[in-house]
Amino acid sequence: MDTAQLVERGSSIADRLTTTQAAPPSWLVLGAAAVALLLVTYRPLWRLTRNVVTIAHEGGHALVALLTGRRLNSITLHSDTSGLTVSSGKPYGFGMVLTALAGYPAPPLIGLGFAALLGANRITLMLWIAIAALAAMLIMVRNVYGVLSVFLTGALVFGVSWFGSDTLQAGFAYLATWLLLFAGSRPVLELQRTRSRLRDGTTDADQLARLTRLPGLLWVLVFGAIALAALVIGAGLLLSATAGICLPIPQGGACPAT
């Protein structure tokens, strides 16, 4: 690709960031949902895709730490799909509570935000927001595996957005969004199993219990409720009439004719 083609491609993407794209066909939306569900429920695949969830989880901790005035020191991501975000500031108080709270809700809430963009047919904007977020996170990652994980994920999103056809971009965007929505609940279940087995008090829920004097199980339930709500609302956005699927209307209205 020569310089002129690069400029033309860049101009095309800049235009697409400010405009809407055509709604994808319903088979693509449903197919992406089926693949995402398989990636979350089939254990060998989940072992791989959980890395993406960990990136979102630690990104949630990092973003809220910055928003609450804490100093972000480092992010590490490990090959066993665990991660750690370290920030400096008061070890108690509202900011610390929000920072500890942010991890598990981050993947489904990011998925919900992406679903809102896709529901508005902002496919290119959704992909480039993801690229920007990954690039910002990469600056704070402090271990080799973490750098590779975030860089390769960002490179994949960039490659699809820069070189992919409209159909490929739409399929990838819907797959990533469904994945984050479906993947919101499984880590919460794994969290409770870990708490029951280890009882070492190191999980986010246990940290919140110490900070708030509320039971750790209550925080697990909060994580689960947020994940479920995001999935229900996000699914409604993704399966909207823009994808050729009409959802039931509680007030008794009729679906538009097709």
Side-chain angles (χ1 to χ4, degrees):
M1 183 178 293
D2 58 28
T3 303
Q5 289 175 314
L6 286 172
V7 172
E8 181 181 358
R9 174 70 70 168
S11 176
S12 174
I13 289 179
D15 290 340
R16 288 168 64 89
L17 286 173
T18 58
T19 59
T20 60
Q21 287 76 56
S26 58
W27 65 263
L28 185 147
V29 177
L30 295 175
V35 173
L37 188 59
L38 179 64
L39 291 172
V40 172
T41 57
Y42 184 50
R43 184 179 295 273
L45 294 176
W46 172 244
R47 178 65 180 76
L48 178 63
T49 55
R50 201 183 194 286
N51 286 281
V52 177
V53 179
T54 301
I55 292 173
H57 178 113
E58 299 304 329
H61 283 310
L63 176 61
V64 174
L66 291 173
L67 292 177
T68 55
R70 299 179 63 81
R71 179 180 178 181
L72 182 60
N73 297 328
S74 66
I75 301 171
T76 55
L77 306 168
H78 306 294
S79 59
D80 63 356
T81 71
S82 65
L84 178 65
T85 298
V86 178
S87 61
S88 301
K90 292 191 300 183
Y92 56 87
F94 190 59
M96 186 64 210
V97 171
L98 290 180
T99 300
L101 176 63
Y104 282 94
L109 291 180
I110 293 171
L112 179 58
F114 285 170
L117 290 172
L118 295 182
N121 295 324
R122 299 280 184 172
I123 296 171
T124 303
L125 180 60
M126 174 251 152
L127 292 173
W128 279 81
I129 287 175
I131 293 169
L134 289 165
M137 185 174 176
L138 186 62
I139 298 172
M140 296 307 301
V141 178
R142 293 292 182 265
N143 67 319
V144 173
Y145 183 84
V147 168
L148 286 174
S149 296
V150 176
F151 177 80
L152 291 176
T153 302
L156 176 61
V157 181
F158 175 80
V160 170
S161 178
W162 189 266
F163 299 107
S165 65
D166 288 350
T167 300
L168 177 60
Q169 291 182 31
F172 183 85
Y174 274 84
L175 175 62
T177 302
W178 279 117
L179 176 62
L180 289 170
L181 291 172
F182 284 136
S185 299
R186 181 160 182 172
V188 177
L189 298 174
E190 294 173 348
L191 166 65
Q192 184 55 29
R193 285 199 296 267
T194 299
R195 294 183 68 245
S196 301
R197 185 177 70 255
L198 298 181
R199 299 183 181 276
D200 57 2
T202 60
T203 68
D204 289 359
D206 293 310
Q207 184 179 10
L208 284 165
R210 289 192 295 272
L211 289 167
T212 63
R213 300 184 184 276
L214 296 174
L217 179 59
L218 174 63
W219 291 108
V220 175
L221 294 175
V222 169
F223 295 155
I226 293 173
L228 181 59
L231 173 58
V232 171
I233 298 171
L237 291 168
L238 295 177
L239 298 175
S240 65
T242 59
I245 302 171
C246 185
L247 298 179
I249 303 173
Q251 288 75 18
C255 291
T258 56

